[in-house]
Amino acid sequence: MVPILIVLLLALVLFGAGFAVKILWWVALIVLAVWLLGFLVRGTSAGGGRGRWYRW
């Protein structure tokens, strides 16, 4: 009984890890899109197009 429970628990953990990795890919794509939009629209800033749109 214990080995079956261990296998089921391992399968559940691996399924959860796969789901988390898929979510992280979507988050990375959204962050990339926001960064590209910020990079493209920074030319319309008040500093004559030379200002940075981020603060780091």
Side-chain angles (χ1 to χ4, degrees), residues 20-36:
V21 168
K22 188 174 182 178
I23 293 292
L24 287 176
W25 271 111
W26 282 109
V27 169
L29 286 174
I30 291 170
V31 168
L32 178 64
V34 169
W35 179 79
L36 285 174

Side-chain angles (χ1 to χ4, degrees), residues 13 31 44 47:
V13 166
V31 168
T44 61

